[in-house]
Amino acid sequence: MTDHALSIPSPPPPPRPRPRAAVVLLGLLAVVLVGASVLAIVLYAGAKEEHGLEVQRLDQTSRSLAEAEERLEETESANDTVIGRISTLEAQNAELHKCADPARDSIIAARDDDDAALGPAVDRASDNC
């Protein structure tokens, strides 16, 4: 037999090696994307919770402000009442002084035996009292 007669089939070409660098890179990229997604979800949940807390604080502050405004109105009303009462008392004080001052003057004149001052003081006291 001759070498020509028997032909040995040639072996199939060796399989192409897979590009491992591309697979590793794609795997790493997938991990990074999953991590970024998890981070975005965590940040969103935290921001949503913080927003809820801020809304509660804003509501509490609004209620406190409304209560303070109500107390201010009550205080202003009480202040107006006191100012009115002061005016009334000052007017009454002026009226009472019309009688009390001449009466005091007549007592002082009587104590000092000042007949010249006693007569007019008694007259003013009798007119105003």
Side-chain angles (χ1 to χ4, degrees):
M1 294 209 215
T2 63
D3 285 340
H4 292 283
L6 282 179
S7 69
I8 300 176
S10 62
R16 275 184 18 183
R18 289 188 188 168
R20 291 188 184 259
V23 171
V24 169
L25 185 61
L26 286 175
L28 191 59
L29 182 62
V31 168
V32 168
L33 287 175
V34 167
S37 297
V38 169
L39 178 63
I41 290 170
V42 167
L43 290 175
Y44 176 77
K48 190 172 182 181
E49 181 180 332
E50 221 174 279
H51 172 72
L53 292 174
E54 290 301 322
V55 166
Q56 288 176 350
R57 282 188 214 138
L58 180 61
D59 289 342
Q60 178 63 32
T61 303
S62 295
R63 282 192 298 274
S64 296
L65 180 60
E67 291 170 2
E69 287 174 343
E70 185 177 316
R71 285 192 310 268
L72 177 62
E73 288 176 10
E74 290 172 1
T75 302
E76 287 174 343
S77 176
N79 188 42
D80 291 342
T81 302
V82 168
I83 288 173
R85 183 70 179 137
I86 288 171
S87 297
T88 301
L89 290 173
E90 286 175 342
Q92 287 176 348
N93 190 30
E95 273 302 308
L96 291 174
H97 270 282
K98 287 180 184 177
C99 176
D101 290 343
R104 181 193 67 220
D105 292 342
S106 64
I107 291 171
I108 292 171
R111 180 193 67 199
D112 295 341
D113 282 334
D114 185 0
D115 291 334
L118 182 59
V122 169
D123 290 341
R124 280 194 330 252
S126 65
D127 290 342
N128 292 315
C129 293

